[in-house]
Amino acid sequence: MRMWFVCRFCCPAAQSNSNPEWEAKVLEYFKGQLKEKESHSWVPSLNDVPLHYLKPNSLVKFRCLVQDMFDPEFYMGVYETVDPSTKANVLRCGKYKDVTECGVDLNSRNTVTAERQTFYCVPIPGESPWAKEISFLSAARVVPSTSYVPSRQKRIAAGCDTTHGNGDSKRQETEAPSSQTTAPSDTSSHLDLNFPLPGERGPACLVKVYEGLDSFKLNDTLEIYGILSVNPVLTVLGEEKDPSLLLLDPTESMETPEEQRAHDPPASLVPRLHMLYARPLQHNNPLLPSDPTEDQSAFVSSFLVEMASVRAELLAYLTHVLLGDGLAAEYLLLHLISNVYTRRDVLPLGKFTLNLSGCPLNSYTERLYQIIQQLVPCSYRLSMSLHTMNSMRLVPKKDYVANRLVSGALQLARNTSLFLDETQLEQGQLDSSGVRNITALGNLISWQKVDYDFSYHQMEFPCNINVLVTSEGRSLLPSDCQVPLQPQVTPPNMEEYLTTIHMAQFTSQINKFRVYLSLARTLDYSISDEVTKAVEDDFVDMRKDDPQSVTAEDLHRMLVVARLLSLSLGQTTLSRDGWMRAKHIDMLRRSRTEQQKSLNGNEP
Amino acid sequence: MAPKDYLAEKEKCKKFLQEFYSEDDNGKKVFKYGAQLVALSHREQVALQVDLDDVAEEDPELVESICENAKRYMGLFADAVHELLPEYREREVVAKDSLDVYIEHRLMMEQRGHDTADTRDPRNQYPAELMRRFELYFKPPSTAKPKVVRDVRADSIGQLVTVRGIVTRATEVKPMMAVATYTCDQCGAETYQPIQSPTFMPLIMCPSQECVTNKSGGRLYLQTRGSKFVKFQELRIQEHSDQVPVGNIPRSMTIYTRGENTRVAQPGDHVAISGVFLPLLRTGFRQAVQGLLSETYLESHSITLMNKTEDDELGTAELSEEELRQITEEDFYEKLAGSIAPEIFGHEDVKKALLLLLVGGVQQAPKGMKIRGNINICLMGDPGVAKSQLLSYIDRLAPRSQYTTGRGSSGVGLTAAVMRDPLTGEMTLEGGALVLADQGVCCIDEFDKMADADRTAIHEVMEQQTISIAKAGIMTSLNARCSILAAANPAYGRYNPRKTIEQNIQLPAALLSRFDLLWLIQDKPDAEADLRLAQHITYVHQHCRQPPTHFTPIDMKLMRRYISLCKRRQPVIPEALADYITAAYVEMRKEARVSKDCTFTSARTLLSILRLSTALARLRLVDVVEKEDVNEAMRLMEMSKDSLHADKSSTTRAHRPADVIFSLLRELATEGVKGRGGSGGLVRMAEAEQRCVSRGFTPAQFQEALEEYEELNVWQVNQARTRITFV
């Protein structure tokens, strides 16, 4: 395990400062090492191993979301220290470090100032428990270097099947004694770790980035390999915030106390990570190879054969879950594999927001969410009760006092499933923040963007979030397509019914579904000219028959449906059949909405 | 490289200050800095701004060195000024404050000291910083481009840079010690300590000759009156949103302002700040633990306030030849119009109208009467015909604009509100959307959903272009010279071409007539258009990008600059055209009387034509309106009218006078029911006739209709022919 003692490796290099390529060489070395098969699984992960089991200055990895980007900072890349006893000058390297050695010679001519940037990273918000478990188990298997015997592993192994079923495992986990996941410190109470979603846990991390600053964006999901730094001196710095001291010496720091708290939290709570190498994650499904290499393409081609059969099984499963409604299940499946594949100006293409209306009340939606959570790697259920809409912060906001971006629930990683439960909404007054929240949700659905609040102006951040709205009637939020649920069965005990369905699935089966959903999303897709022509003619004919009910939006939607249908079957081109099928199910859906309208009579 | 001879450099600075002059109109030499030096020496001016453009005229090399090493040259220039000042003093200066008196006394003491040939300890010499009562700033050369905050990197340290951004935080202005003065309790000697860093270690032991030799251990005490303080303020600026790459967080920067530069900017201001980018030196414990990091700040030299990001950009960069050529090639009018919301398909005429709205007509103010130049447009249409997209595109394109929806804004939100400041208890005016959009565009979506009371507030804005306020003891009139772009949905979901506009969008005629153009955007089936639409959409889905069009839309920034260029023109209507326009107007009035349709043709229409034609002339960058412009303006008017009753051609039945009279009478009858509480279906003959005549029907027509419908047994007329009763 040579790789862990990086600092020993780079300090001698600093002394031979004449060779400036050493930095590139270090990076190359690590990248090379990490490319080797399995090698990245040796590296302990901050997500899985509690901080106090990790050695400082060792190489760790961290699967995370870039929550905030701080201003760049200037540090001494190379500096000189004077030994007080011998008066000898020694050149030292400041890269990948937080604290200098003693006796810095400030007037040295050899000092080199360099620039780095700090990212505030949090674990991927809404990561499903199963995704955490699987990556945890696979990591624990191969980390011999830490003395850490995961007690959690046992608990999970034992409680795997029971917690699985009721789907409550996430909450249980968050409420479980937190001593394993965060440092046993009371300071966490007053320190806001700024997670996008309430009730999240896990280590937040200040990642110091040295190279390729421009390639990283806010809300990127990354797997970061870097050197862990938990120098207690940093904590001392953090504690040196006696307000009276600051009052005496206001010019001591350019930062306000709030700002310092946000930017220099104690290292025991928010460790520093000096990034060596970061890999952008296309998905965080641990069942899929994450590297887009030949490794993955082999995996894909092997799975493609199975695709149709897995789809049929998944469809049957979802049909059961949706109380025997085959059409709704079909649409739910399409929704789960939807993905914004490109943007044209402001219009995102490929988004497919589904509105399941007519959902039975009393906790059906909650159970539905738990089942979806079992299938997708990232999800969040937002219960749209009046209280949450009025009080929750959905849109991230810049806090100029602390100079940081205060996160909101809509700061999510790509392809997160956002489950909006409108059945929870009751009559009452929305206050101004509630209206803002609803507007933000509407914008998210229509444009797949969130306008972050920078107080003097708004900034648009594009996102890629699958939104599923469940409601009684038609949702008050816009949606790409509304499917009224038509239950074929009315089980006397809903809880029991859903639990039995869920229990009937083997874990291996569920895993297959998980792989299927993540994989279908990544497939390429194209439309041939010939089919395009047919689609165009078809559209013109449809307009001729009934110009009022077929609009440009309908064509957009049907093309998306056709795309998703083809992909769900593992077909990467649109065939005539695919188009007809898409048209057919859209027709079915529309007739159902019409029916609903005439039933209710009061739909606009 | 040999170290620079800074003494020689100082001589250069001196020479420049003394000798720089420019020639005024009469060919007389004007010594720009000489005059300022005189003012400085008389304490009538505090800040001396050295314009590096002037320096560049004399010595371009010097400018380069100043930009590279600004802090040092600031010192050199200050020394030079300090040495020059006595030469420029023309009369005795009256002491302005205690420090002036203090300095005078010290200088006198020094002279006396010289008499006794007593050489002072060099450390006890008066530091130059104490004696100087002026501030010296550089103004960066105009060739230097303002930088984006994120481009100011480690290599800019020590350089003179200009950054732009928005102020997010400003501390209070505090005094900051520049020179600390101490007196010794034993010997009474004074000691001075110039302070550069934010913190300093006070001196304790007296360093004077007397104390040192006597080992009396004199203690030093700080003297506030003898110390020099400067005003100090810390600002924090953040990048503009348009300077941030997609998906990044805006970066910020700390600015230190001193002296005359304080209290210039407030949070929320857009500023351009030039200054020296410097690292902050730490001392003591913090330096040890945080030694690896150094904080940086910008020591400001000049702060310029800007009203909005684009304004400055537009002003500075003239359109290049090539860009102009790109725009003003053939069919540029179509091209410019097509570049508005290129993602929205079709609607060429609407886009042309919106283009004219952006350019605006010429405002006329003969003898205090103001005739607005801004063009107001109302878009109506069925739900889902991209009205809102057009609005939001205009909102993005216009350099200054506000976007509101009718449902979300009350009259107060649109106009202005009087607020009580929570801190001072003073009444303050807070501008609403219309005020904030002054000299820009105010886009109001869902115009029809607005409450009537709120809509009346807009009447004044639309014609007088001001907002009068009489609230809570504040009576004032605010400018709201904005164009209004409104979008409205028809009252009953879909536009019913058989009804008038008022009925369709339930807006009062007074308001509707204030719109220069009313467009109805309808979704009508048309096989050819459908096919093009289908091709467009499928292409997007197939290739994941915009289909190639016969033209590439003009870049938004270029559009903005071109429009601002157009706005500078003030075209006039030549005498010769006046007759033509008058004739056309009379013709329109005549037509309107005959056809009696849903739109109005009034004097406002004439003004609209004038506005549109001047806007068209502006668009062509000419100073005289041509006949073509007027024709195009009238064509647009015509098209907008056509759009309102385009379906008439399909409804074959033209309105016969009798039918119209019938509907008028029925209206009257229902009104009667409401007004008089249920004398249902009864209309008095005189009243009916009066109503019909006022609508332009002859009494003969009225009688005809009366008889015709009586025969049909729709109504009955009583014997005396005074009453009509509906059956």
Side-chain angles (χ1 to χ4, degrees):
Chain A
M1 300 291 138
R2 277 169 299 176
M3 309 207 295
W4 294 1
F5 298 98
V6 181
C7 293
R8 223 178 270 171
F9 176 80
C10 65
C11 281
Q15 278 149 16
S16 57
N17 192 29
S18 52
N19 179 13
E21 290 108 61
W22 71 269
E23 293 178 1
K25 276 190 184 154
V26 171
L27 285 184
E28 225 166 83
Y29 175 78
F30 277 103
K31 272 182 200 161
Q33 290 287 313
L34 287 169
K35 262 198 199 105
E36 272 175 35
K37 223 174 160 36
E38 289 283 298
S39 64
H40 52 255
S41 51
W42 305 339
V43 183
S45 165
L46 260 181
N47 297 76
D48 307 322
V49 186
L51 188 58
H52 54 277
Y53 283 103
L54 291 170
K55 285 188 191 124
N57 300 334
S58 66
L59 186 71
V60 294
K61 64 179 175 187
F62 186 39
R63 193 172 63 247
C64 61
L65 171 106
V66 181
Q67 193 269 326
D68 195 0
M69 296 162 137
F70 295 153
D71 290 332
E73 54 191 24
F74 298 106
Y75 70 100
M76 285 190 268
V78 179
Y79 63 95
E80 214 166 6
T81 52
V82 187
D83 195 311
S85 52
T86 59
K87 300 276 174 215
N89 283 6
V90 186
L91 268 188
R92 292 187 186 274
C93 162
K95 209 175 180 186
Y96 307 121
K97 279 189 181 182
D98 282 312
V99 182
T100 50
E101 313 276 323
C102 278
V104 181
D105 178 13
L106 279 177
N107 301 319
S108 164
R109 297 187 144 265
N110 294 320
T111 307
V112 178
T113 307
E115 190 181 354
R116 69 182 178 202
Q117 205 185 352
T118 310
F119 292 163
Y120 188 82
C121 294
V122 295
I124 297 172
E127 195 169 44
S128 301
W130 63 266
K132 281 185 189 155
E133 267 164 40
I134 291 172
S135 67
F136 173 73
L137 290 175
S138 62
R141 202 177 57 237
V142 286
V143 181
S145 64
T146 51
S147 55
Y148 172 48
V149 182
S151 62
R152 197 170 105 182
Q153 190 182 358
K154 279 184 223 148
R155 184 173 66 82
I156 286 161
C160 198
D161 285 322
T162 53
T163 51
H164 237 231
N166 64 26
D168 224 358
S169 50
K170 184 178 161 171
R171 194 175 310 157
Q172 279 184 5
E173 191 181 317
T174 52
E175 279 163 9
S178 60
S179 54
Q180 313 159 324
T181 39
T182 45
S185 163
D186 286 330
T187 44
S188 62
S189 55
H190 67 81
L191 194 81
D192 176 17
L193 287 181
N194 209 2
F195 290 127
L197 301 178
E200 289 261 309
R201 283 211 169 269
C205 210
L206 281 168
V207 179
K208 309 277 181 184
V209 186
Y210 294 86
E211 269 94 22
L213 289 172
D214 299 332
S215 61
F216 300 108
K217 291 199 175 102
L218 195 75
N219 301 347
D220 275 355
T221 44
L222 303 171
E223 187 160 58
I224 294 171
Y225 292 87
I227 302 154
L228 183 72
S229 161
V230 282
N231 200 315
V233 177
L234 291 168
T235 317
V236 175
L237 252 187
E239 278 166 5
E240 194 210 331
K241 276 172 304 207
D242 193 351
S244 61
L245 250 174
L246 271 159
L247 208 68
L248 280 173
D249 195 4
T251 47
E252 171 70 18
S253 169
M254 278 155 82
E255 297 178 323
T256 59
E258 289 88 354
E259 204 171 340
Q260 274 201 338
R261 203 169 303 143
H263 287 214
D264 296 313
S268 55
L269 285 176
V270 182
R272 316 303 196 250
L273 197 60
H274 295 269
M275 185 203 278
L276 284 171
Y277 167 61
R279 206 177 49 180
L281 292 177
Q282 292 302 313
H283 58 83
N284 63 329
N285 191 339
L287 296 166
L288 236 64
S290 47
D291 245 340
T293 50
E294 64 277 6
D295 196 23
Q296 196 193 10
S297 56
F299 184 84
V300 169
S301 51
S302 70
F303 197 83
L304 269 180
V305 191
E306 275 186 276
M307 209 110 171
S309 69
V310 177
R311 180 193 143 94
E313 285 166 32
L314 180 58
L315 190 64
Y317 175 57
L318 289 178
T319 311
H320 278 301
V321 171
L322 293 172
L323 308 174
D325 188 342
L327 186 69
E330 180 100 37
Y331 269 97
L332 182 59
L333 194 148
L334 298 186
H335 162 78
L336 288 176
I337 62 168
S338 69
N339 176 32
V340 177
Y341 59 95
T342 187
R343 279 168 193 275
R344 182 182 58 117
D345 291 335
V346 288
L347 189 73
L349 290 176
K351 65 166 179 123
F352 194 66
T353 304
L354 185 64
N355 173 210
L356 268 184
S357 60
C359 288
L361 292 178
N362 47 38
S363 80
Y364 172 73
T365 50
E366 212 174 316
R367 316 293 292 165
L368 181 61
Y369 168 67
Q370 282 158 8
I371 285 163
I372 288 172
Q373 196 183 23
Q374 285 300 316
L375 294 175
V376 296
C378 259
S379 61
Y380 179 63
R381 170 170 175 265
L382 181 64
S383 145
M384 286 177 63
S385 69
L386 261 189
H387 176 72
T388 40
M389 288 325 282
N390 279 339
S391 61
M392 202 164 161
R393 188 202 309 284
L394 291 185
V395 177
K397 182 180 187 311
K398 178 87 176 183
D399 177 357
Y400 284 107
V401 179
N403 197 15
R404 68 167 176 177
L405 188 71
V406 179
S407 194
L410 291 187
Q411 190 173 21
L412 296 173
R414 49 178 288 154
N415 292 133
T416 304
S417 284
L418 181 63
F419 188 97
L420 296 177
D421 194 351
E422 207 184 282
T423 56
Q424 307 286 319
L425 199 59
E426 62 268 32
Q427 281 192 1
Q429 185 83 41
L430 273 182
D431 60 21
S432 60
S433 75
V435 172
R436 263 202 299 279
N437 280 340
I438 298 277
T439 323
L441 285 176
N443 274 339
L444 169 70
I445 291 169
S446 332
W447 307 111
Q448 286 287 334
K449 58 153 194 178
V450 181
D451 288 321
Y452 288 20
D453 184 0
F454 277 81
S455 142
Y456 302 101
H457 54 86
Q458 311 231 304
M459 274 194 67
E460 232 172 67
F461 281 85
C463 56
N464 187 354
I465 298 171
N466 295 8
V467 187
L468 175 65
V469 189
T470 55
S471 57
E472 273 177 87
R474 209 171 67 109
S475 166
L476 64 93
L477 295 167
S479 63
D480 292 317
C481 118
Q482 181 209 356
V483 182
L485 194 64
Q486 286 185 347
Q488 305 298 314
V489 287
T490 39
N493 188 342
M494 194 71 82
E495 299 260 327
E496 209 173 285
Y497 172 78
L498 289 172
T499 318
T500 9
I501 293 172
H502 186 70
M503 293 300 281
Q505 300 293 327
F506 296 108
T507 319
S508 63
Q509 191 69 26
I510 295 265
N511 276 351
K512 244 184 205 166
F513 294 161
R514 290 167 180 167
V515 173
Y516 168 80
L517 289 177
S518 295
L519 195 68
R521 192 174 269 166
T522 56
L523 292 178
D524 288 327
Y525 174 75
S526 63
I527 309 176
S528 67
D529 290 337
E530 188 188 340
V531 179
T532 311
K533 189 85 195 51
V535 170
E536 282 162 13
D537 293 343
D538 223 14
F539 178 70
V540 176
D541 286 347
M542 279 192 282
R543 288 275 290 180
K544 235 178 243 160
D545 298 341
D546 189 0
Q548 293 302 332
S549 61
V550 185
T551 61
E553 256 112 273
D554 292 319
L555 182 58
H556 269 299
R557 188 186 52 241
M558 281 196 279
L559 280 167
V560 173
V561 171
R563 171 197 160 88
L564 295 174
L565 256 182
S566 308
L567 287 181
S568 74
L569 289 162
Q571 297 162 355
T572 53
T573 52
L574 179 63
S575 62
R576 254 203 141 87
D577 269 2
W579 170 246
M580 293 319 278
R581 267 187 61 118
K583 239 176 83 175
H584 177 67
I585 69 164
D586 204 57
M587 212 60 92
L588 283 178
R589 185 188 66 83
R590 288 172 78 124
S591 67
R592 197 185 268 194
T593 12
E594 294 295 319
Q595 207 180 325
Q596 203 81 8
K597 255 184 216 171
S598 54
L599 267 178
N600 293 346
N602 57 356
E603 290 276 340
Chain B
M1 198 180 82
K4 261 200 178 131
D5 180 5
Y6 284 111
L7 275 178
E9 295 288 307
K10 191 162 110 186
E11 285 310 309
K12 269 194 204 167
C13 304
K14 238 183 192 171
K15 200 168 134 242
F16 164 76
L17 289 171
Q18 281 172 307
E19 292 178 5
F20 179 80
Y21 66 90
S22 54
E23 282 179 13
D24 66 359
D25 302 335
N26 308 330
K28 243 176 95 182
K29 283 181 181 177
V30 178
F31 286 90
K32 187 175 168 188
Y33 295 102
Q36 291 193 57
L37 284 175
V38 174
L40 282 180
S41 68
H42 295 134
R43 299 267 296 115
E44 283 156 352
Q45 186 182 344
V46 178
L48 174 69
Q49 197 171 54
V50 178
D51 194 337
L52 292 188
D53 278 337
D54 296 340
V55 182
E57 278 178 37
E58 301 274 313
D59 189 353
E61 253 175 59
L62 185 61
V63 174
E64 217 168 275
S65 4
I66 290 175
C67 289
E68 289 292 316
N69 194 3
K71 187 93 181 163
R72 167 70 73 110
Y73 276 88
M74 194 174 135
L76 290 180
F77 261 95
D79 285 344
V81 172
H82 190 61
E83 282 165 29
L84 286 174
L85 275 189
E87 295 173 26
Y88 281 87
R89 186 178 293 200
E90 289 162 357
R91 57 187 144 83
E92 204 52 38
V93 186
V94 191
K96 271 199 165 170
D97 54 19
S98 57
L99 194 58
D100 275 340
V101 179
Y102 182 85
I103 290 171
E104 205 178 316
H105 286 188
R106 305 302 124 163
L107 284 175
M108 268 150 66
M109 260 167 60
E110 194 178 33
Q111 271 162 9
R112 236 176 284 151
H114 275 300
D115 291 341
T116 57
D118 177 17
T119 47
R120 283 178 69 91
D121 188 310
R123 264 176 304 177
N124 279 12
Q125 215 105 59
Y126 305 116
E129 286 91 342
L130 181 68
M131 296 306 181
R132 270 176 217 161
R133 299 311 309 274
F134 60 88
E135 290 159 18
L136 189 120
Y137 300 112
F138 289 125
K139 185 167 183 266
S142 49
T143 48
K145 279 246 168 73
K147 278 191 172 182
V148 182
V149 172
R150 64 180 59 230
D151 287 343
V152 180
R153 294 177 185 258
D155 55 6
S156 318
I157 283 181
Q159 292 182 4
L160 194 66
V161 289
T162 306
V163 291
R164 288 192 297 126
I166 181 168
V167 179
T168 59
R169 189 201 295 167
T171 61
E172 285 167 49
V173 177
K174 294 175 195 157
M176 189 190 213
M177 196 173 264
V179 181
T181 305
Y182 305 89
T183 23
C184 175
D185 61 350
Q186 296 288 330
C187 63
E190 279 176 343
T191 309
Y192 307 96
Q193 183 188 20
I195 292 157
Q196 308 283 355
S197 58
T199 52
F200 70 101
M201 175 68 82
L203 301 176
I204 294 170
M205 301 305 289
C206 180
S208 74
Q209 198 71 41
E210 205 179 320
C211 283
V212 173
T213 42
N214 293 352
K215 294 218 169 60
S216 56
R219 294 261 162 185
L220 289 178
Y221 288 93
L222 192 64
Q223 262 203 335
T224 28
R225 260 177 58 183
S227 301
K228 183 183 172 182
F229 293 90
V230 290
K231 288 183 272 183
F232 174 81
Q233 190 180 26
E234 190 186 315
L235 302 176
R236 172 69 66 99
I237 64 165
Q238 181 187 282
E239 290 173 297
H240 285 308
S241 48
D242 57 339
Q243 296 166 337
V244 185
V246 177
N248 274 283
I249 294 274
R251 296 205 184 147
S252 52
M253 182 183 259
T254 308
I255 314 282
Y256 281 179
T257 61
R258 287 170 217 268
E260 295 299 288
N261 277 333
T262 53
R263 288 203 185 92
V264 174
Q266 282 173 333
D269 286 343
H270 293 264
V271 289
I273 297 180
S274 43
V276 194
F277 190 54
L278 291 171
L280 187 70
L281 290 180
R282 289 241 170 273
T283 46
F285 173 66
R286 283 192 74 86
Q287 191 264 314
V289 289
Q290 228 178 10
L292 218 42
L293 296 181
S294 61
E295 283 165 284
T296 51
Y297 66 97
L298 192 75
E299 171 124 7
S300 71
H301 273 247
S302 75
I303 299 179
T304 330
L305 288 182
M306 300 185 296
N307 21 15
K308 208 184 171 183
T309 341
E310 303 299 335
D311 292 4
D312 179 69
E313 215 172 324
L314 294 171
T316 51
E318 281 288 318
L319 284 173
S320 67
E321 283 284 306
E322 195 195 343
E323 285 169 328
L324 261 181
R325 204 169 43 241
Q326 193 194 335
I327 292 176
T328 52
E329 60 193 15
E330 229 180 305
D331 64 9
F332 77 104
Y333 176 46
E334 280 75 19
K335 201 171 152 184
L336 276 171
S339 306
I340 291 181
E343 72 264 20
I344 296 167
F345 187 77
H347 302 311
E348 280 84 7
D349 278 334
V350 179
K351 289 182 182 179
K352 279 178 188 171
L354 292 179
L355 178 67
L356 295 182
L357 173 131
L358 285 172
V359 173
V362 178
Q363 180 181 328
Q364 259 119 8
K367 291 185 196 132
M369 187 177 77
K370 240 194 326 198
I371 299 175
R372 72 179 153 97
N374 293 324
I375 295 168
N376 299 324
I377 293 180
C378 179
L379 303 178
M380 288 173 289
D382 303 337
V385 286
K387 291 186 304 292
S388 299
Q389 267 116 305
L390 278 172
L391 250 66
S392 68
Y393 191 88
I394 294 294
D395 179 49
R396 274 188 291 154
L397 181 60
R400 180 184 269 239
S401 68
Q402 287 289 319
Y403 185 98
T404 76
T405 66
R407 243 183 301 192
S409 47
S410 61
V412 172
L414 275 175
T415 57
V418 181
M419 314 278 267
R420 188 182 286 279
D421 191 310
L423 276 177
T424 57
E426 279 174 31
M427 292 292 195
T428 52
L429 273 180
E430 197 129 304
L434 289 168
V435 178
L436 292 178
D438 187 27
Q439 309 223 317
V441 183
C442 185
C443 302
I444 308 175
D445 207 351
E446 320 254 1
F447 196 55
D448 51 323
K449 312 267 190 315
M450 211 182 281
D452 284 335
D454 302 330
R455 241 181 341 231
T456 47
I458 299 174
H459 285 222
E460 188 193 350
V461 176
M462 288 183 73
E463 215 52 65
Q464 270 71 45
Q465 307 265 294
T466 53
I467 287 173
S468 307
I469 303 207
K471 280 175 196 158
I474 295 183
M475 294 231 294
T476 181
S477 170
L478 299 174
N479 273 329
R481 292 157 294 183
C482 60
S483 304
I484 289 180
L485 175 60
N489 283 322
Y492 311 107
R494 281 189 178 275
Y495 191 86
N496 186 346
R498 284 173 197 84
K499 291 190 169 150
T500 62
I501 313 182
E502 290 118 287
Q503 284 166 333
N504 260 315
I505 47 166
Q506 297 187 322
L507 288 178
L511 194 55
L512 280 182
S513 72
R514 283 174 160 85
F515 284 107
D516 295 297
L517 288 173
L518 291 161
W519 285 100
L520 174 65
I521 307 176
Q522 258 183 310
D523 185 22
K524 272 177 292 188
D526 171 0
E528 200 188 324
D530 288 347
L531 182 63
R532 274 192 296 160
L533 181 67
Q535 278 167 352
H536 187 91
I537 293 173
T538 46
Y539 189 93
V540 170
H541 279 265
Q542 190 182 359
H543 301 281
C544 308
R545 65 186 157 82
Q546 190 77 7
T549 38
H550 51 92
F551 75 95
T552 43
I554 297 166
D555 176 57
M556 225 190 211
K557 275 204 174 124
L558 185 62
M559 283 267 280
R560 256 178 239 157
R561 285 163 59 197
Y562 184 72
I563 287 170
S564 78
L565 187 69
C566 293
K567 278 187 172 173
R568 277 183 238 159
R569 298 275 170 169
Q570 300 290 336
V572 291
I573 297 167
E575 199 77 15
L577 267 182
D579 289 342
Y580 179 72
I581 295 171
T582 327
Y585 173 64
V586 170
E587 187 61 31
M588 279 172 85
R589 285 282 281 187
K590 213 183 279 168
E591 241 171 66
R593 220 172 300 139
V594 173
S595 68
K596 199 66 217 164
D597 62 50
C598 33
T599 43
F600 311 89
T601 310
S602 64
R604 282 204 170 117
T605 322
L606 180 60
L607 289 175
S608 300
I609 291 176
L610 293 181
R611 272 192 282 273
L612 288 173
S613 28
T614 45
L616 278 160
R618 271 184 166 181
L619 202 59
R620 291 189 296 118
L621 294 177
V622 291
D623 287 326
V624 179
V625 176
E626 280 173 23
K627 201 170 174 181
E628 293 302 301
D629 298 327
V630 181
N631 283 343
E632 171 65 18
M634 295 213 295
R635 190 189 68 84
L636 278 178
M637 295 282 284
E638 204 54 44
M639 292 310 287
S640 84
K641 265 186 202 162
D642 273 2
S643 79
L644 290 173
H645 43 93
D647 264 9
K648 273 227 173 113
S649 51
S650 57
T651 61
T652 43
R653 213 160 58 95
H655 283 290
R656 289 190 308 123
D659 297 342
V660 182
I661 289 171
F662 172 72
S663 62
L664 273 175
L665 291 191
R666 204 173 48 185
E667 234 172 71
L668 207 61
T670 47
E671 267 174 37
V673 173
K674 269 187 232 159
R676 265 167 269 133
S679 61
L682 210 67
V683 183
R684 262 184 290 161
M685 183 69 89
E687 206 178 314
E689 190 168 350
Q690 196 190 346
R691 168 73 66 99
C692 292
V693 172
S694 73
R695 288 296 170 97
F697 294 101
T698 57
Q701 277 174 329
F702 175 69
Q703 290 302 333
E704 217 172 274
L706 213 59
E707 274 160 35
E708 188 183 330
Y709 276 88
E710 200 175 3
E711 266 168 43
L712 290 172
N713 221 359
V714 177
W715 59 46
Q716 286 168 350
V717 183
N718 68 348
Q719 284 297 305
R721 294 194 81 79
T722 52
R723 246 181 259 154
I724 305 166
T725 320
F726 278 81
V727 177

